[in-house]
Amino acid sequence: MDDLERTSDVEIVDLDPPDEKVRRTFQRIVLRLTQKRAFSVRISPIFALLICIVSMLVMPLMLQSDILSTAKRSQHVPLSTPSHPALIVDRARVVDMAIDHQVTYINSGDGIISARRSSDGKLLWQHRAPSGTNLHLVAADGKLFFTSISSATGAVEAYRANDGVLLWASQLPPFGPYSLLVSDGVVYANTQADDGTVFALRASDGRVLWHFAHQNPSPMDSFLAVAHGIAAIRTADSLTHVLRASDGSEIFRYQSLDDWVPSVEGQTIYFATAQHGLQARSIADGRLLWQSLANASGLRAWTAQNGMIYLSTTNGMIQALRGEDGSLLWQRQTGDIASGPYVQGTNVLYFTPNKMAFALSTQNGALLWQRIIEVPKFNLMVMNGVFFLDENGVLVSAWRSSDAMLLWHFTASDAILWEPQIADGLLYLRQFNGTMDVLRVSDGKVLWQYFTG
């Protein structure tokens, strides 16, 4: 998929229409006449005073005419969709957000954290964070957690979600950036302190329960999962650490292939092997459960869901394996695959380089439907029974995964930051100009907009 590019170069060309050029030219002449140093000849003080009086009377009328003309023209500028209100553009950006219990929490680049009702964007409360912060938001259990980082201090703070009242702040070493994950009453913060350290804090009061030094600090470090009594984190050198969530002790570690992120489902964690196959290990003790060699061409992608593994190979094969032992349930030769597989209900979706979309049955791999996506290139996201296409940077389309029926199109005001976020039947589209559109997934209607400034 091609990444979106954005340039900061701005070219200004002929902003005034011809009728305004005449007025503005006359205004400049009047201004120069009032400045005696602009002429090589002398004029009398009385004549200069007369020119000033006339210009003071005429210029406000001309300026008013310009304003009225501009306002009149703006009424006829077509909007990208009928539901779009006017936009205000600012240099700040929506840098992170969280959704919980029909409330959307937004961290904008200007240091403001706000809570808004998800249905209509009504402001519930807002909080100005300390200057120089780089914040990550997590909403869980009636609380809003975020990191506060500057050159001198680092902290995790917890606010009461319904009114923004500070509950606690736990100071950590002043090194970042942080990533946050909250699960089972514990807040996990990954930091660059002491060459890379994970802190576990009690969510009720911020008390540090334990910390684990993984010795590889990087902004690319990410939590894979915190569930079933384990916390798994993957560092930038593709080393996965599986820890006990109770005390932070390391159960095992595994060196996976570059650019292959392991996945966790239930009590099993899946890795790509050096032989281009798939390996399943128990998260309880790291023991090998099974491994499968995709084939000589190698593993391309996989997804784990409902006790099954669906994978694609580089020579164009879709396979379904049983998660408990890796045995083959079915396979289908598909040809070249550009993206997939994605599991949506009883469908397995994949996309080919020639812009074809296919759906196979999860039960036996039978072809359910196929469709041509008639756009030259696109970014893709599949979620909640819908696949979304970013067709040209600003145009988004939504298609039903069960039958590839087009649901709606939407045109944004600026290039979209892909991937969007989905929660509670709403699609959050962030854009480069700092605007965020909130659409209803079912019909693409814009419910509200957020803009910084």
Side-chain angles (χ1 to χ4, degrees):
M1 301 300 175
D2 297 331
D3 293 329
L4 296 176
E5 296 183 358
R6 178 170 173 84
T7 177
S8 58
D9 298 335
V10 177
E11 181 181 2
I12 300 176
V13 290
D14 223 353
L15 297 179
D16 296 325
D19 59 334
E20 292 179 8
K21 287 184 179 180
V22 175
R23 284 192 291 272
R24 297 191 185 281
T25 302
F26 181 74
Q27 292 167 12
R28 289 193 293 268
I29 293 174
V30 171
L31 289 174
R32 290 182 62 83
L33 286 174
T34 60
Q35 300 175 346
K36 292 174 27 176
R37 64 177 178 274
F39 293 89
S40 59
V41 298
R42 289 182 174 274
I43 60 176
S44 67
I46 296 176
F47 183 66
L49 179 61
L50 181 61
I51 292 176
C52 290
I53 294 173
V54 171
S55 64
M56 291 175 65
L57 294 174
V58 174
M59 287 184 65
L61 296 176
M62 291 184 173
L63 291 174
Q64 183 180 10
S65 175
D66 285 349
I67 294 172
L68 291 175
S69 176
T70 302
K72 184 177 181 181
R73 289 195 313 275
S74 65
Q75 297 173 3
H76 301 285
V77 176
L79 299 177
S80 55
T81 65
S83 57
H84 260 211
L87 302 181
I88 296 179
V89 179
D90 190 83
R91 289 185 180 274
R93 298 289 184 269
V94 177
V95 297
D96 203 4
M97 58 180 295
I99 303 101
D100 188 47
H101 296 300
Q102 303 297 320
V103 178
T104 301
Y105 303 93
I106 300 173
N107 167 33
S108 58
D110 55 5
I112 296 293
I113 295 176
S114 62
R116 296 178 178 271
R117 194 162 58 195
S118 297
S119 59
D120 57 9
K122 179 183 178 182
L123 179 65
L124 304 177
W125 57 264
Q126 67 180 16
H127 166 74
R128 177 169 289 279
S131 60
T133 59
N134 180 17
L135 307 176
H136 303 276
L137 303 181
V138 176
D141 302 326
K143 300 181 183 67
L144 180 67
F145 305 92
F146 64 85
T147 57
S148 174
I149 305 167
S150 67
S151 58
T153 61
V156 175
E157 301 182 13
Y159 284 74
R160 198 161 58 200
N162 59 357
D163 56 10
V165 172
L166 176 66
L167 298 177
W168 53 261
S170 181
Q171 188 164 342
L172 298 178
F175 299 100
Y178 297 131
S179 59
L180 284 181
L181 193 151
V182 181
S183 178
D184 297 329
V186 179
V187 182
Y188 299 87
N190 186 32
T191 78
Q192 293 190 46
D194 299 326
D195 294 328
T197 303
V198 175
F199 290 88
L201 296 80
R202 194 160 58 194
S204 59
D205 57 9
R207 177 176 175 266
V208 176
L209 301 176
W210 53 261
H211 66 275
F212 172 78
H214 51 75
Q215 303 295 310
N216 190 8
S218 170
M220 299 306 294
D221 293 347
S222 60
F223 288 107
L224 299 176
V226 176
H228 306 290
I230 64 100
I233 185 170
R234 179 178 183 266
T235 58
D237 60 353
S238 303
L239 185 63
T240 299
H241 302 269
V242 180
L243 315 176
R244 288 186 179 87
S246 58
D247 58 10
S249 59
E250 187 174 67
I251 301 173
F252 72 97
R253 64 179 62 182
Y254 186 85
Q255 183 71 54
S256 57
L257 296 180
D258 294 341
D259 301 325
W260 287 88
V261 178
S263 59
V264 178
E265 191 195 34
Q267 298 288 335
T268 306
I269 184 167
Y270 300 94
F271 298 96
T273 68
Q275 293 76 32
H276 305 287
L278 190 64
Q279 185 179 95
R281 290 182 174 270
S282 168
I283 61 174
D285 52 17
R287 62 187 173 88
L288 178 65
L289 300 178
W290 56 265
Q291 61 181 350
S292 172
L293 296 179
N295 53 40
S297 299
L299 183 66
R300 189 190 183 285
W302 82 84
T303 181
Q305 189 167 319
N306 300 326
M308 294 292 298
I309 307 298
Y310 302 91
L311 59 86
S312 61
T313 65
T314 55
N315 72 336
M317 182 80 73
I318 299 286
Q319 295 179 334
L321 310 178
R322 293 181 178 88
E324 58 184 1
D325 56 11
S327 61
L328 179 68
L329 179 63
W330 57 260
Q331 65 180 5
R332 183 182 179 92
Q333 188 68 46
T334 60
D336 291 342
I337 298 175
S339 183
Y342 306 95
V343 178
Q344 295 285 282
T346 59
N347 292 9
V348 179
L349 305 184
Y350 69 94
F351 298 79
T352 64
N354 59 352
K355 306 303 181 288
M356 291 287 294
F358 294 85
L360 308 178
S361 168
T362 56
Q363 298 300 315
N364 54 23
L367 178 65
L368 300 177
W369 56 257
Q370 65 183 46
R371 184 183 179 94
I372 298 176
I373 306 297
E374 295 181 348
V375 293
K377 62 179 181 178
F378 54 82
N379 291 323
L380 170 72
M381 186 180 75
V382 183
M383 185 177 291
N384 296 346
V386 179
F387 62 92
F388 302 88
L389 304 181
D390 170 18
E391 298 186 9
N392 60 3
V394 295
L395 178 62
V396 176
S397 58
W399 309 71
R400 196 163 58 198
S401 297
S402 59
D403 56 6
M405 176 183 174
L406 176 64
L407 299 177
W408 47 263
H409 281 288
F410 172 76
T411 303
S413 62
D414 198 12
I416 298 167
L417 290 167
W418 204 257
E419 295 177 347
Q421 189 166 342
I422 295 180
D424 300 327
L426 302 179
L427 176 71
Y428 295 79
L429 286 175
R430 292 187 291 167
Q431 300 164 36
F432 276 106
N433 62 9
T435 302
M436 182 173 67
D437 294 300
V438 182
L439 287 67
R440 194 161 53 201
V441 171
S442 59
D443 58 8
K445 179 182 178 182
V446 178
L447 300 182
W448 55 278
Q449 285 185 309
Y450 175 87
F451 49 85
T452 53

